[in-house]
Amino acid sequence: MDKQAFTSPIDLKKVTVTDPFWHREMELVRREVIPYQWDALNDRVPGADPSWCMRNFRIAGRMMADQSRKGAQYVPPSYTFRGFNALPEDITKPEDDKFYGFVFQDTDFSKWIEAVGYSLTQHPDPELEKTADEAIDIVCAAQTPEGYLDTYYIINGMDAALTNLRDHHELYCLGHLIEGAVAYYQATGKDKLLRAACRFADYIADRFGPEEGKCKGYPGHEIAEMALVRLYEVTGEEKYLHLGKFFVDQRGQEPNYFIEEEKTRARREGRAVCHTNTNPAYHQAGKPVREQDEAVGHAVRAVYLYSGMADVARQTGDDSLYAACERLWDNIVRKKLYITGGIGGTHVGEAFSYAYDLPNDTAYSETCAAIGLAFFARRMLQIKPDSKYADVMEQALYNTVLAGMALDGKSFFYVNPLAVVPYAARHDERLRHVEPVRRKWFGCACCPPNLARIVSSIASYAYTEKEDTLYTHLYMGGSIRKDFAGKELTMEVDAKMPWHGHVYVTLHCSEPVNGTLAFRVPGWAPDTVITCGDKQPVYKDGYAYLTGKWHEGDMIRLHLPMAVHVLASNPAVRADVDKVAFTRGPVTFCAEQADNGDNLHLLRVDTRYIGDHGEGVGVEFDHDTFGHETVKLHVPAKRLIMDESAPLYSQWRAPKEETAKIVLVPYYAWANRGEGEMMVWLRRK
Amino acid sequence: MDKQAFTSPIDLKKVTVTDPFWHREMELVRREVIPYQWDALNDRVPGADPSWCMRNFRIAGRMMADQSRKGAQYVPPSYTFRGFNALPEDITKPEDDKFYGFVFQDTDFSKWIEAVGYSLTQHPDPELEKTADEAIDIVCAAQTPEGYLDTYYIINGMDAALTNLRDHHELYCLGHLIEGAVAYYQATGKDKLLRAACRFADYIADRFGPEEGKCKGYPGHEIAEMALVRLYEVTGEEKYLHLGKFFVDQRGQEPNYFIEEEKTRARREGRAVCHTNTNPAYHQAGKPVREQDEAVGHAVRAVYLYSGMADVARQTGDDSLYAACERLWDNIVRKKLYITGGIGGTHVGEAFSYAYDLPNDTAYSETCAAIGLAFFARRMLQIKPDSKYADVMEQALYNTVLAGMALDGKSFFYVNPLAVVPYAARHDERLRHVEPVRRKWFGCACCPPNLARIVSSIASYAYTEKEDTLYTHLYMGGSIRKDFAGKELTMEVDAKMPWHGHVYVTLHCSEPVNGTLAFRVPGWAPDTVITCGDKQPVYKDGYAYLTGKWHEGDMIRLHLPMAVHVLASNPAVRADVDKVAFTRGPVTFCAEQADNGDNLHLLRVDTRYIGDHGEGVGVEFDHDTFGHETVKLHVPAKRLIMDESAPLYSQWRAPKEETAKIVLVPYYAWANRGEGEMMVWLRRK
């Protein structure tokens, strides 16, 4: 690792996003998702299953108040397991003192407050801030005097706290709490929640660590690792870094903690050890992280872990850990990544499948996993600016992440397949994880809040910085302020990505500023042209570095050629042999029934009429179809003529085809025009 | 229906099968499967899970003896459910008086005795017959004085007998008992088991039927329907036909019996009604059978039902029932049949999938379902001789049915996919039903014994007869005797199917015989030439009818052209678009790794070099590879060059290919040379 190259995320308060594309998404989150989410947290969404989240905090808060009144006489309830998703018999009649919902339901609040924090940096909103402060009061009231803060055990019995790290998500709750608290603190300067998060982290740090007598466990669902590094970065408190590093180092060591923990639980509960859910690879705990070279198990957990590993590697200068991150990155990108930036080839365990197993129709490709991949990518970029990381980050963001949310911000996909036949999705049990249209909300609400937090913090993916350099990874209209040795430079960006490749950058400063501006040359536009007076860019690892003295009004012009790319998979990908997919800029396209009729499998791309640079594919700029500017592609094609009266099998003849055009729309926009077929990989001649 | 056209199965004692192909299979069953199966029934197979079957009969027999000694004082045990597959805690230490195994474990015996019966007609074996008689004694001793005979309830408590028709398979046990008893009676003339089966059938007939006060239920797993018709045909006792017809008529009527039954059970057991296993379509009970037009649910159950429907329709002259059979047949053949003669596109419920959903790798295509399809086909043939039925019957028999058994008769497939990658089958949970190599035996032993009974009775699929006509459906070396108005004609057949298309038939009779000999013209050989002196065949529905006076030494020569057929699926089959499959005669071929290396998906057939009649495909007669004569096909092809170091996605270019040959072997013989990839549908140019 070259520590000189390390960069940090920017301060969101120094950025303004005015970009038409991303601003629209951020406004959706601000106007639709955050308020909806707050109603959901408070069980006020008609027709939706209650979240129980704020209710659980209130109950726990009352118990803490009782405890404080009663003093030492207080006897907490004795824990009994009531299922991972405890529901009242009658959903409208919860019992007063019971915890309901998933064991990790507290994170609904943490994800919401995180999105709120980011959103406030872009759009101050005193009323929202007041609501958030009140929510924080409720949450903080639930914390035990010792600092523990997970309502599942506070309500159900602290005697079993921290005895099921594998499944019960307490450390996951800690991680999300930290992320939310830091974001809200950074946005508002208010530290009440941050202090609560620190106290919970202190509680855990007192009990976990390499020291003798401390617990050797680690999170069943990762996120605490990266959150603790972030907490360290905000507070400067080294014990948080040490705890994050401990979780990373300990993972997968022998004897396997999750297996030992299960044995202990089984012994205490007087039952046989259950082996059904103990495959450590599902939790990325099959071997120590520094020995891992294949992305396996639950995809979200995996990329959350890898993000934490990258953070710990950067903060501790740990080369072997960084090498593992690089191996795992390469493994994903070379063998396990959908062309939509999605990961997770199988719904079994919501997991990575084996190398090159990237089925289109049965794909899992969870929205949260693509979000986690962007986390991982940004952290790899922080260690080493190389556009190969930004390419994948961008691919995930513009395609699978955005596909997770409807264009009206009101419904969501968990699962993002690359080929859908609604009849099959509705009738075939093997596709029971696939929804042909987005759903309003989920009992297990991970994807919608995760979307809210990444979209509202999108600028942190567009820029990173170090002392003398500002990196631009994504081209996004707006402005960013950067301090170069005490002098402020404001960079104003005029861009219309992802549809147009012209980017105009204007600099503002009250006095000349020395510094470097680095601009990414995307993998999809290697011929990007950068003009900046007489300054000549220096190219390295996919970034153009412009260094020197900057003056008010200086301009930089970038032209990123937006060619249509016709892509093929490595032949090792069985699902995509004889098929092609289309991208333009960072956007992956798909065919929808709305434009092409049903039975999309009958269409094939006629590659005879398509040039090496996408010539022959029509590019239509379209403002009507999806309510904002998008691009449609018109692809020369043939359509097999189907005769349903024909026998099931017959002598092969050259197929009967008619000339056709395939209309392609951006993948992220699919399923916004009712229910219909969709297909990314198309047959080709 | 034209009752004049109805035919009957032939008497197996009047047939001798000397055909090298089928005789080899029959000898495998006689020498390997039947003895192995007997050991399995008696829990004597080292390393295999016990069947418990004969042990259960012995325990039940002791209970009956006790009961008879104690008289009216005897109190049978009170039923408690112990699971569908009850096992002792320590498998080597079963408790003395407990039932173990699946609820339908009695059928292990019934299937065995049926295969024994058929086998004895071809190969008398006094020792085997003695063993069988002793087994029958044990079984019959278990029957209750009232005639009930299912050890699961006899041992576990008769108070719950007939209260769970949906899941507990009592009527399925009855059906198999009848099939076994009839076969053994027809082979040996011994009627002890037949009488026991009749008594059990009487017991059921007393309790089920349209009359007031009788139970309105029907089998959860069908087979009793066809078995009861067979029992009627053997005994002439009409009540068995009425009972079979009642089961058929009653199925799917409202209120749905299975749902009502579940409600009753839930009430009695003081629990909530369980809806998870109550989809009536799984049991073909979603609507009355005469209204059914789509093959749905568990595939084996479905074709067993349809077989029973055809039998009842034939015996009662019920045109509306026959029309339903025709609709269901057409639905299978036009939309739900694999080119291997397999059925059941999904492992979820081991069931038919939706129309045209015929995935190759995740296929279920259970061996038993293909056997059941042959049952159904033969029964449709009995109603109306039309080679369209025989074509499918033959396709099932020569491909999926035979693929179910290894060439040494020692291991078996339940599931018969059309594309296998062993790594995927071993690692991908979505393919957990797929075995890349055959397994020795199964706890749920349905497929191996089913194979034994169909292979040892294969001649009943080759011929059917009516008063003045002998139908030959399959060409099989050997001889068959047929009585024409009191005069016997023996037809001696010399055939070397499925590899050679010349069939020589020589007739023997002590005096001239008048009659009709009908020979099938297979769909795969429409240009079949038939020569018979100056007799001219009359063609109808795919059969050539030769009528007249026959003399000793008369000869009939058939030439069935054995062209290689290159077949394509209807474009509605998504899984097979742009692919071809090869058949020759009744045999479907596949590519195996043993001949073609791995990554079979990289190969594509070069159709440019293949003529309309299969010219360009090399046909190799091969005696070595599989230990008996087979045919290999050599197909001109290209192989995609794979570069694993290449990126996952890259600009599409005309693919790099090398010239190759694809070697194809018969599908039934696959997986006999170790573990490797296999593929039936091959990519094509």
Side-chain angles (χ1 to χ4, degrees):
Chain A
M1 278 186 291
D2 170 14
K3 291 184 192 176
Q4 303 303 317
F6 289 178
T7 62
S8 312
I10 43 104
D11 177 353
L12 282 178
K13 293 201 298 295
K14 295 189 172 176
V15 194
T16 317
V17 177
T18 55
D19 186 81
F21 187 87
W22 283 106
H23 190 256
R24 187 187 54 78
E25 295 283 351
M26 290 165 74
E27 281 292 288
L28 277 182
V29 167
R30 188 178 73 80
R31 290 172 188 268
E32 296 291 339
V33 185
I34 289 176
Y36 186 96
Q37 205 175 343
W38 177 241
D39 284 343
L41 292 184
N42 286 282
D43 315 332
R44 290 194 298 244
V45 178
D49 287 352
S51 149
W52 313 109
C53 172
M54 294 311 294
R55 186 182 176 282
N56 290 334
F57 278 116
R58 284 196 186 89
I59 292 171
R62 278 201 302 273
M63 289 173 66
M64 285 307 110
D66 284 355
Q67 173 158 2
S68 138
R69 266 201 308 279
K70 293 180 189 167
Q73 280 71 50
Y74 182 74
V75 180
S78 188
Y79 176 81
T80 14
F81 178 57
R82 296 169 55 235
F84 291 98
N85 184 16
L87 296 175
E89 282 210 10
D90 176 348
I91 209 138
T92 62
K93 290 181 192 152
E95 288 179 58
D96 268 356
D97 56 347
K98 286 228 162 52
F99 176 96
Y100 292 119
F102 286 96
V103 291
F104 50 83
Q105 207 77 51
D106 286 6
T107 61
D108 280 10
F109 160 77
S110 303
K111 291 166 189 166
W112 175 78
I113 199 78
E114 187 178 345
V116 168
Y118 300 139
S119 183
L120 290 174
T121 67
Q122 299 300 303
H123 194 288
D125 180 339
E127 201 176 331
L128 176 61
E129 199 170 323
K130 182 161 170 279
T131 303
D133 288 336
E134 288 166 6
I136 287 169
D137 289 341
I138 294 167
V139 168
C140 291
Q143 192 162 34
T144 73
E146 297 77 21
Y148 182 89
L149 183 42
D150 183 327
T151 64
Y152 175 77
Y153 283 106
I154 293 173
I155 298 173
N156 284 333
M158 282 295 292
D159 51 333
L162 302 173
T163 60
N164 189 349
L165 299 182
R166 190 189 66 192
D167 309 316
H168 279 187
H169 286 47
E170 285 158 287
L171 300 177
Y172 173 77
C173 289
L174 167 69
H176 266 299
L177 182 67
I178 293 171
E179 294 279 350
V182 170
Y184 195 73
Y185 166 72
Q186 290 180 325
T188 62
K190 294 177 183 169
D191 69 354
K192 179 168 183 176
L193 190 64
L194 184 69
R195 283 185 286 114
C198 287
R199 286 177 57 217
F200 190 13
D202 295 342
Y203 178 96
I204 298 298
D206 287 345
R207 287 162 178 78
F208 289 74
E211 300 84 2
E212 213 185 300
K214 285 190 173 180
C215 178
K216 299 293 174 278
Y218 40 88
H221 192 312
E222 301 92 330
I223 189 176
E225 299 82 353
M226 61 174 148
L228 285 161
V229 175
R230 196 172 175 193
L231 190 61
Y232 159 68
E233 289 171 347
V234 168
T235 62
E237 185 63 67
E238 292 219 335
K239 72 172 157 185
Y240 302 138
L241 175 61
H242 293 158
L243 182 60
K245 176 173 152 48
F246 169 76
F247 284 155
V248 164
D249 291 346
Q250 192 56 29
R251 195 164 208 91
Q253 302 289 352
E254 287 296 330
N256 188 286
Y257 182 81
F258 294 143
I259 294 174
E260 295 306 307
E261 183 190 63
E262 163 62 16
K263 285 186 197 160
T264 307
R265 266 200 317 278
R267 206 161 40 235
R268 198 175 44 229
E269 295 165 17
R271 59 167 172 82
V273 173
C274 169
H275 286 285
T276 54
N277 193 22
T278 47
N279 179 7
Y282 170 80
H283 305 269
Q284 300 75 47
K287 31 181 154 168
V289 297
R290 285 172 188 75
E291 296 169 24
Q292 295 187 18
D293 53 10
E294 184 179 1
V296 293
H298 189 269
V300 175
R301 298 179 196 221
V303 285
Y304 280 21
L305 168 66
Y306 309 154
S307 299
M309 287 164 62
D311 281 343
V312 170
R314 179 171 49 82
Q315 283 295 0
T316 62
D318 185 329
D319 284 312
S320 67
L321 190 58
Y322 177 56
C325 292
E326 281 188 304
R327 283 197 305 274
L328 291 162
W329 175 270
D330 279 355
N331 178 257
I332 293 173
V333 172
R334 301 182 69 85
K335 300 184 178 174
K336 302 195 174 188
L337 177 67
Y338 283 103
I339 197 161
T340 50
I343 49 174
T346 175
H347 69 281
V348 182
E350 308 180 331
F352 284 107
S353 188
Y354 54 95
Y356 301 114
D357 185 45
L358 294 161
N360 294 303
D361 56 347
T362 62
Y364 201 72
S365 184
E366 186 177 338
T367 307
C368 288
I371 290 169
L373 182 61
F375 294 167
F376 185 26
R378 211 234 7 229
R379 282 156 176 86
M380 293 303 275
L381 271 178
Q382 281 183 244
I383 296 175
K384 181 184 172 193
D386 186 325
S387 73
K388 73 177 183 182
Y389 301 118
D391 284 346
V392 170
M393 180 175 82
E394 185 184 53
Q395 192 180 14
L397 290 170
Y398 274 100
N399 300 293
T400 300
V401 172
L402 289 187
M405 182 162 67
L407 295 177
D408 63 3
K410 292 182 176 171
S411 57
F412 304 89
F413 276 140
Y414 253 59
V415 169
N416 297 282
L418 283 78
V420 170
V421 174
Y423 183 89
R426 296 220 178 275
H427 292 84
D428 188 343
E429 270 293 301
R430 292 165 297 184
L431 296 170
R432 63 185 175 280
H433 58 293
V434 174
E435 303 272 352
V437 288
R438 292 174 184 81
R439 282 173 52 189
K440 269 200 85 77
W441 198 258
F442 301 88
C444 171
C446 64
C447 296
N450 240 346
L451 260 161
R453 66 193 190 111
I454 199 162
V455 166
S456 49
S457 64
I458 190 66
S460 6
Y461 301 84
Y463 306 101
T464 59
E465 63 178 335
K466 60 180 184 174
E467 200 175 356
D468 59 356
T469 312
L470 177 63
Y471 283 92
T472 300
H473 307 295
L474 306 176
Y475 298 101
M476 196 173 287
S479 68
I480 174 162
R481 286 176 287 136
K482 155 84 181 153
D483 180 279
F484 286 97
K487 297 180 186 170
E488 192 172 79
L489 182 75
T490 299
M491 191 166 87
E492 203 179 301
V493 181
D494 179 7
K496 292 196 175 60
M497 290 285 286
W499 313 122
H500 303 280
H502 289 283
V503 179
Y504 304 98
V505 177
T506 313
L507 302 180
H508 301 287
C509 47
S510 49
E511 52 185 327
V513 173
N514 272 308
T516 300
L517 300 176
F519 297 95
R520 165 169 164 257
V521 179
W524 46 264
D527 302 331
T528 292
V529 176
I530 300 177
T531 327
C532 175
D534 52 4
K535 286 199 180 68
Q536 287 304 318
V538 174
Y539 291 92
K540 193 186 171 205
D541 296 331
Y543 284 81
Y545 291 82
L546 292 164
T547 304
K549 186 163 278 187
W550 302 100
H551 302 85
E552 168 62 27
D554 277 356
M555 284 198 68
I556 305 161
R557 290 188 183 79
L558 296 96
H559 174 61
L560 296 83
M562 301 295 277
V564 173
H565 293 276
V566 188
L567 298 175
S569 289
N570 187 311
V573 182
R574 283 183 170 77
D576 299 337
V577 174
D578 295 339
K579 292 178 180 168
V580 289
F582 291 78
T583 62
R584 182 177 177 277
V587 174
T588 302
F589 285 78
C590 67
E592 279 204 283
Q593 182 173 337
D595 304 300
N596 301 286
D598 61 358
N599 286 308
L600 294 174
H601 72 284
L602 299 179
L603 290 163
R604 73 171 170 84
V605 175
D606 201 340
T607 50
R608 291 176 305 172
Y609 302 121
I610 302 178
D612 277 358
H613 302 285
E615 303 91 339
V617 176
V619 176
E620 179 197 354
F621 294 90
D622 167 45
H623 291 79
D624 302 325
T625 310
F626 297 111
H628 65 281
E629 181 176 33
T630 56
V631 156
K632 280 185 181 173
L633 302 181
H634 297 262
V635 178
K638 298 277 184 199
R639 185 196 302 272
L640 261 183
I641 295 170
M642 189 162 71
D643 171 12
E644 285 223 25
S645 73
L648 194 48
Y649 305 111
S650 56
Q651 186 81 32
W652 180 76
R653 301 266 179 260
K656 281 188 210 154
E657 295 179 319
E658 59 188 10
T659 299
K661 277 272 179 189
I662 303 175
V663 175
L664 300 180
V665 297
Y667 176 77
Y668 76 81
W670 89 274
N672 279 285
R673 292 178 288 170
E675 190 169 306
E677 290 184 27
M678 183 275 291
M679 192 174 270
V680 171
W681 287 98
L682 302 160
R683 296 191 305 123
R684 58 128 182 105
K685 170 136 207 156
Chain B
M1 280 185 290
D2 170 13
K3 290 184 192 175
Q4 303 302 318
F6 290 178
T7 61
S8 314
I10 43 104
D11 178 353
L12 283 177
K13 293 200 298 297
K14 294 189 173 178
V15 193
T16 317
V17 177
T18 55
D19 185 80
F21 187 86
W22 283 105
H23 190 255
R24 188 187 54 78
E25 296 283 352
M26 289 166 74
E27 280 294 286
L28 278 181
V29 166
R30 187 178 72 82
R31 289 172 188 269
E32 295 291 340
V33 185
I34 289 176
Y36 187 95
Q37 205 176 344
W38 178 241
D39 284 345
L41 292 185
N42 287 283
D43 313 333
R44 290 193 300 245
V45 178
D49 287 351
S51 149
W52 313 107
C53 172
M54 294 311 294
R55 186 181 177 283
N56 290 333
F57 278 115
R58 284 196 187 87
I59 291 170
R62 277 202 301 276
M63 290 173 66
M64 285 307 110
D66 283 356
Q67 173 158 1
S68 140
R69 266 200 307 280
K70 292 179 190 167
Q73 278 73 49
Y74 181 75
V75 180
S78 187
Y79 175 83
T80 15
F81 178 59
R82 295 169 56 232
F84 290 99
N85 184 16
L87 296 174
E89 282 209 9
D90 176 348
I91 209 139
T92 63
K93 289 182 192 149
E95 288 179 58
D96 268 354
D97 55 348
K98 287 229 162 55
F99 176 97
Y100 292 119
F102 286 96
V103 292
F104 50 85
Q105 207 76 50
D106 285 5
T107 61
D108 281 10
F109 160 77
S110 303
K111 291 165 188 165
W112 176 77
I113 200 75
E114 187 179 345
V116 167
Y118 299 140
S119 183
L120 290 174
T121 66
Q122 298 301 303
H123 194 286
D125 181 338
E127 202 175 329
L128 177 60
E129 197 169 325
K130 185 162 166 279
T131 304
D133 288 336
E134 287 166 7
I136 288 169
D137 289 342
I138 293 166
V139 168
C140 291
Q143 190 162 34
T144 74
E146 298 76 21
Y148 182 89
L149 183 42
D150 182 328
T151 65
Y152 175 77
Y153 283 106
I154 293 173
I155 298 173
N156 284 332
M158 282 293 293
D159 51 333
L162 303 173
T163 60
N164 189 349
L165 299 182
R166 190 189 67 192
D167 310 316
H168 279 190
H169 286 47
E170 287 157 288
L171 300 177
Y172 173 76
C173 290
L174 167 68
H176 266 300
L177 181 67
I178 293 171
E179 294 279 349
V182 170
Y184 195 72
Y185 166 72
Q186 289 180 326
T188 62
K190 294 176 183 169
D191 69 353
K192 180 169 182 176
L193 190 63
L194 184 69
R195 281 184 288 115
C198 286
R199 285 177 57 216
F200 190 13
D202 294 343
Y203 178 97
I204 298 298
D206 287 346
R207 287 161 176 79
F208 289 75
E211 299 83 5
E212 213 185 301
K214 285 191 173 182
C215 177
K216 297 294 173 278
Y218 41 88
H221 192 314
E222 300 92 330
I223 188 177
E225 299 81 353
M226 61 175 145
L228 284 161
V229 175
R230 196 173 174 192
L231 190 60
Y232 158 68
E233 289 170 347
V234 168
T235 62
E237 184 64 67
E238 293 219 332
K239 72 172 157 184
Y240 302 137
L241 175 61
H242 293 160
L243 182 59
K245 175 173 153 48
F246 170 75
F247 285 155
V248 164
D249 291 347
Q250 191 56 27
R251 197 163 205 92
Q253 300 290 352
E254 287 297 331
N256 188 285
Y257 183 81
F258 294 143
I259 293 174
E260 296 304 308
E261 184 192 62
E262 162 61 15
K263 286 185 197 160
T264 306
R265 268 200 314 278
R267 207 162 38 234
R268 199 175 41 230
E269 294 164 18
R271 60 167 172 82
V273 174
C274 168
H275 287 286
T276 54
N277 193 21
T278 46
N279 179 5
Y282 170 80
H283 305 268
Q284 299 75 46
K287 33 181 152 167
V289 297
R290 285 173 187 76
E291 295 168 24
Q292 295 187 17
D293 52 11
E294 184 179 2
V296 294
H298 189 271
V300 176
R301 298 180 197 221
V303 282
Y304 280 21
L305 169 66
Y306 308 155
S307 299
M309 285 164 62
D311 282 342
V312 170
R314 180 172 46 83
Q315 284 293 0
T316 62
D318 186 331
D319 285 312
S320 67
L321 189 58
Y322 177 56
C325 292
E326 283 189 302
R327 282 195 308 272
L328 292 162
W329 175 271
D330 279 355
N331 178 257
I332 293 173
V333 172
R334 300 183 70 87
K335 301 185 177 171
K336 301 197 173 188
L337 177 68
Y338 283 104
I339 198 164
T340 51
I343 49 174
T346 177
H347 69 281
V348 182
E350 309 180 329
F352 284 107
S353 189
Y354 55 94
Y356 301 114
D357 185 45
L358 294 162
N360 293 303
D361 57 347
T362 61
Y364 201 72
S365 184
E366 185 177 338
T367 307
C368 288
I371 291 170
L373 182 61
F375 293 167
F376 184 26
R378 211 235 5 229
R379 282 158 176 85
M380 293 302 274
L381 272 178
Q382 282 183 244
I383 295 174
K384 180 185 173 190
D386 186 325
S387 73
K388 73 177 184 182
Y389 302 117
D391 284 346
V392 171
M393 180 175 83
E394 185 185 52
Q395 191 181 14
L397 289 170
Y398 274 100
N399 301 292
T400 299
V401 172
L402 289 186
M405 180 162 67
L407 293 177
D408 64 3
K410 291 181 176 172
S411 57
F412 304 89
F413 277 140
Y414 253 60
V415 168
N416 297 280
L418 283 78
V420 170
V421 175
Y423 183 88
R426 296 219 177 276
H427 292 83
D428 189 341
E429 271 292 303
R430 292 165 296 185
L431 296 170
R432 63 185 176 281
H433 59 292
V434 174
E435 303 273 351
V437 287
R438 293 174 185 80
R439 283 174 53 191
K440 269 199 84 75
W441 199 257
F442 302 87
C444 171
C446 65
C447 296
N450 240 346
L451 260 160
R453 64 193 191 111
I454 199 161
V455 166
S456 50
S457 63
I458 190 67
S460 6
Y461 301 84
Y463 305 102
T464 58
E465 63 178 336
K466 60 180 183 175
E467 199 175 357
D468 59 356
T469 312
L470 176 64
Y471 283 91
T472 300
H473 306 295
L474 306 176
Y475 297 100
M476 196 172 286
S479 68
I480 174 163
R481 286 177 286 138
K482 154 85 182 153
D483 180 278
F484 286 97
K487 298 179 186 172
E488 193 173 78
L489 182 75
T490 298
M491 192 166 87
E492 201 180 302
V493 180
D494 179 7
K496 292 197 173 61
M497 289 286 285
W499 315 122
H500 303 279
H502 288 282
V503 179
Y504 304 97
V505 177
T506 313
L507 302 181
H508 301 288
C509 47
S510 50
E511 54 185 326
V513 172
N514 272 308
T516 299
L517 299 177
F519 296 95
R520 166 171 162 254
V521 179
W524 47 264
D527 302 330
T528 292
V529 177
I530 300 177
T531 328
C532 176
D534 54 3
K535 284 198 182 70
Q536 287 303 317
V538 176
Y539 292 93
K540 192 187 170 203
D541 296 331
Y543 283 80
Y545 291 80
L546 292 164
T547 304
K549 186 165 281 187
W550 303 100
H551 302 84
E552 167 63 29
D554 277 357
M555 285 197 68
I556 305 160
R557 289 186 182 83
L558 296 96
H559 175 61
L560 295 82
M562 300 295 277
V564 172
H565 293 275
V566 187
L567 298 176
S569 289
N570 187 311
V573 181
R574 284 183 169 76
D576 299 336
V577 173
D578 293 339
K579 292 178 180 165
V580 289
F582 292 77
T583 62
R584 182 177 177 276
V587 174
T588 302
F589 285 77
C590 67
E592 279 205 283
Q593 182 172 339
D595 305 299
N596 301 286
D598 62 357
N599 285 309
L600 294 176
H601 72 284
L602 299 178
L603 290 163
R604 72 170 170 83
V605 175
D606 201 339
T607 48
R608 290 175 307 172
Y609 302 121
I610 302 179
D612 277 357
H613 302 284
E615 302 90 338
V617 176
V619 177
E620 180 196 353
F621 294 89
D622 168 45
H623 292 79
D624 301 328
T625 309
F626 297 111
H628 66 281
E629 181 175 34
T630 56
V631 156
K632 281 185 180 173
L633 302 182
H634 296 262
V635 178
K638 298 278 184 200
R639 184 194 305 271
L640 261 183
I641 295 171
M642 190 162 69
D643 172 11
E644 285 224 23
S645 73
L648 195 47
Y649 305 111
S650 56
Q651 187 80 32
W652 179 76
R653 300 267 179 261
K656 282 187 208 156
E657 295 179 319
E658 60 189 9
T659 299
K661 276 272 178 190
I662 303 174
V663 175
L664 300 179
V665 297
Y667 176 77
Y668 75 82
W670 90 275
N672 279 285
R673 293 178 288 169
E675 189 169 306
E677 292 184 24
M678 183 277 290
M679 193 174 269
V680 171
W681 286 98
L682 302 160
R683 297 191 303 122
R684 58 130 183 103
K685 170 136 203 155

